[in-house]
Amino acid sequence: MKIIMDEQNMIRAVASSSNSSSMVSSKKYDVFLSFRGEDTRKNFTSHLYEALKQKKIETYIDYRLEKGDEISAALIKAIEDSHVSVVIFSENYASSKWCLGELGKIMECKKERGQIVIPVFYNIDPSHVRKQTGSYEQSFAKHTGEPRCSKWKAALTEAANLAAWDSQIYRTESEFLKDIVKDVLRKLAPRYPNHRKELVGVEENYEKIESLLKIGSSKVRILGIWGMGGIGKTTLASALYDKLSPEFEGCCFLANVREESDKHGFKALRNKLFSELLENENLCFDASSFLVSHFVLSRLGRKKVFIVLDDVDTSEQLENLIEDFDFLGLGSRVIVTTRNKQIFSQVDKIYKVKELSIHHSLKLFCLSVFREKQPKHGYEDLSRSAISYCKGIPLALKVLGASLRSRSKQAWECELRKLQKFPNMEIHNVLKLSYDGLDYSQKEIFLDIACFLRGKQRDHVTSILEAFDFPAASGIEVLLDKALITISGGIQIEMHDLIQEMGWKIVHQEHIKDPGRRSRLWKHEEVHDVLKYNKGTEVVEGVILDLSKLTEDLYLSFDFLAKMTNVRFLKIHSWSKFTIFNVYLPNGLDSLSYKLRYLHWDGFCLESLPSRFCAEQLVELCMHCSKLKKLWDGVQNLVNLKTIDLWGSRDLVEIPDLSKAEKLESVSLCYCESLCQLQVHSKSLGVLNLYGCSSLREFLVTSEELTELNLAFTAICALPSSIWQKRKLRSLYLRGCHNLNKLSDEPRFCGSYKHSITTLASNVKRLPVNIENLSMMTMIWLDDCRKLVSLPELPLFLEKLSACNCTSLDTKITQQQVLQHMLQSRIPYLRKHYLKCYDEEYFFPGDHVIDECRFHTTQNSITIPYLQKPELCGFIYCIILSMGPLLECDVSCSVYQDGIRVGWLERLLEYENLISDHVVILYHDISEFDKISEVHDHFFSNITFIFENNEDRITEFGVFPVYASESGLKLVGSKEIFE
């Protein structure tokens, strides 16, 4: 910007003086023009006035000729009622006592009211004004004897010393005018600060969004602002428009695109957009083709414009408004606000608007209801209850605040109680717009999530919805793009409370007075009533009942489901393990809907499912802690069944023939204590969990797809040899198998066993020697195998070994074996990079660090005087922990070089009780050291290792520096026995 003085001090003064919102609201004019009529009225001043008017800047100009020496009371009022005074110093400005009187009043308002003053030197040397020389000296000669001369001179000097605009440094007057108008706009923007209640919390988004817009770049950039309804997208875009539009040559805020396009069509919207960008020219385009003349496009291509397209709902709307953004001039910016992320195919960046914080929520709510920033005395708790309901949604906060304004505490309490049953319809209707834009299957998916599946893992929700023949994957993506749901922690489907409430309301309106005629039942009182009194109808598709909410046992008739012939989702469950009351069927159960896809019934009280039940459509069967002895008689056509979970069904003695369950993926029979033998013939089964089946002695599984087998705490005496032929088996759990004394070596292991976890029985004395062939196995658990006397050669990629309380292991041999394994596993990676197993951990009994370690101590620290730098890979730590329980035991090592910490490693160890001292061996890679520096070219000096433990359990530790060599890896300070 071409100015003759630095204006930073002036801006700070203005900012500090513009804190009062009342001052802002009382101003009538944006700009007051002070000028010498005879010099500039018909030329420069008139042009400046028109330029300001084009930018919608409310400007006061006095068209009357100056009369007398005293300015009028009306003029004084106009000066006081203006944010900015633009003083045009021309050659004869000082000759007018009227002008000098105006200037005196202007400078007084600057001092007392914080008014902004912008001096403009029009064809005059600024020094003549500042020092009253030249024509200004001649003018003051005529004012001799005037008592106000000294005051006028002081005002001239002060004004001329402000940041100013000088026409003499411009080539053309048009450029001069353009820069003045831009400066006026920039200085006016802070005079309309965000004191309005709807802008609470918006300011903190500015910096992020402005960085995304890259205002200084000459490229055309398009930013999408996306979020759920009522979240504040339009408010944020409006605030950005107000703040940034002065930087552009043309601007247009096209509001309510979705609604306006429906009402008036795209032609009217496009006419408005191009007309405003070309400063209110009356343009008209062909209604059928939307063609714009090349002349119009070429003119726009020369303008740096700022466009906001608010509430765009479809890609078609966006394309019809601006089919190709290439016609926009360099530096142009476009902001598009939407609830539908799918329209953002052309945008450069997307900004997701988030909920307000509790602090900002309370502030916005209080401004809406009390017109103050804090709750009124006595309304603190009620206000917090209100904002808890709104969950950070600005629209909800403002609407609820307005509805409670000037009402009594009793009215507040009544309204808040009402909201627990009935949503505010104004909020509901805004949020429902996103739902209305969904197709049939997407609406069904949304309602199922809102009523039944919120908080579940995405994969599980997808599986259930696919069972209902919904296009789950694409439907979930659409709901995400429309901000109707979110993904928490990368896996869990969530939705905002008000969005869920909106979904509930949609279902409630299917039949307001009769819950039995609604598609989904989830509200406890209504479900209880419908089931108990047999009020269900064919309309019902899903039912969920939480047993933990029962206040007494619920007795149902044998035909309570008979009328609900279209139920596809039935869940009777408990969040608590200690359910007091249950559902009982004194006369049995007549039938279940043949359309049932998902059946979850905890504590099912019968010994089997109804004989008339057809399970052909069933996809998931989950019956925890049931009284089932068997599922059904005979063979069912289970062509769709994927999951069986009968956890805790202690009376279960058999499961049905599953040979026709071609899609079966998982069977869980944990704690089915009456189950003595089991045969599962399935081609597709991947997971079989028999944990805690304490009577199970024999089992057979034929699936070649088996990846996980859990036989922990069963009574098996031997493993079928076929187990070792399961090429996809990754996890085998055998902990607590006290009858299992031996693992056969024959036939040899085969398969990759990638990422395996093996937990062995406590009576096992030796592992199969060919376990080393399981080259991709990464973890082995041997805890409490107290008869285990030795380890075979470990698999190459093993990263974790847990042998807690394996007290028959030889400490020295095991330490040597583990150290050798840690070196050996890195050999394939030596030449170019090392295997970075940052979580490596080996844990087994031991009461001392082996003698071969030269760097060991019983103190809490040790210093190595120097180490050669070339080929240093990292360090292996051997840490001795004393016996006893490990309850969240943190073990850490801080590494210092010359007193500066350069590295840090921490592990959390947990175990119920160590019956002897144990050693934990960890690896610390040199790449994790972030501040290590060279004192000399080839070695590190004074490397200190400090080991700490929150339970003070470390009795000794040792450090092995690990180096690469041509032949492999070696441990320095270990008498080089390991290579």
Side-chain angles (χ1 to χ4, degrees), residues 421-426 428-429 432 435-436 447 501-515 517-520 522 526 539:
K421 297 182 178 180
F422 307 104
N424 181 287
M425 290 308 297
E426 187 175 348
H428 168 84
N429 291 336
K432 188 173 177 290
Y435 171 85
D436 292 337
L447 294 177
E501 188 177 84
M502 179 264 291
W504 291 345
K505 182 66 176 179
I506 291 169
V507 176
H508 182 266
Q509 289 177 329
E510 292 172 354
H511 203 290
I512 295 175
K513 294 185 177 181
D514 188 354
R517 295 187 176 276
R518 299 178 196 153
S519 62
R520 295 160 180 86
W522 70 93
E526 294 177 344
V539 176

Side-chain angles (χ1 to χ4, degrees), residues 278-314:
L278 292 173
E279 301 183 31
N280 295 320
E281 293 185 17
N282 187 19
L283 302 175
C284 187
F285 308 113
D286 183 79
S288 59
S289 64
F290 298 106
L291 292 177
V292 183
S293 72
H294 178 70
F295 176 59
V296 169
L297 293 179
S298 64
R299 290 173 62 198
L300 280 175
R302 303 184 192 109
K303 295 190 72 171
K304 176 183 173 182
V305 300
F306 186 25
I307 302 171
V308 174
L309 303 178
D310 176 54
D311 194 20
V312 179
D313 189 47
T314 66

Side-chain angles (χ1 to χ4, degrees), residues 444-563:
E444 292 294 295
I445 289 172
F446 170 76
L447 294 177
D448 274 355
I449 293 174
C451 297
F452 304 134
L453 303 173
R454 178 185 175 184
K456 305 300 180 184
Q457 290 192 3
R458 181 174 183 170
D459 289 346
H460 189 212
V461 172
T462 301
S463 177
I464 293 175
L465 293 172
E466 286 176 346
F468 302 149
D469 294 329
F470 295 142
S474 61
I476 287 173
E477 288 296 329
V478 169
L479 299 186
L480 286 168
D481 288 342
K482 287 184 174 289
L484 287 168
I485 63 173
T486 59
I487 302 296
S488 173
I491 58 171
Q492 192 170 335
I493 290 186
E494 282 291 351
M495 63 172 51
H496 193 278
D497 287 355
L498 293 183
I499 292 288
Q500 182 177 40
E501 188 177 84
M502 179 264 291
W504 291 345
K505 182 66 176 179
I506 291 169
V507 176
H508 182 266
Q509 289 177 329
E510 292 172 354
H511 203 290
I512 295 175
K513 294 185 177 181
D514 188 354
R517 295 187 176 276
R518 299 178 196 153
S519 62
R520 295 160 180 86
L521 300 174
W522 70 93
K523 194 171 182 180
H524 180 75
E525 295 80 6
E526 294 177 344
V527 174
H528 183 279
D529 187 64
V530 168
L531 298 183
K532 184 174 183 178
Y533 299 106
N534 204 358
K535 294 181 179 179
T537 68
E538 72 281 354
V539 176
V540 179
E541 297 179 25
V543 180
I544 187 168
L545 174 69
D546 187 352
L547 296 173
S548 63
K549 294 182 179 179
L550 290 177
T551 57
E552 60 182 4
D553 289 330
L554 177 59
Y555 292 89
L556 302 178
S557 65
F558 76 100
D559 62 346
F560 82 100
L561 289 170
K563 298 178 185 177

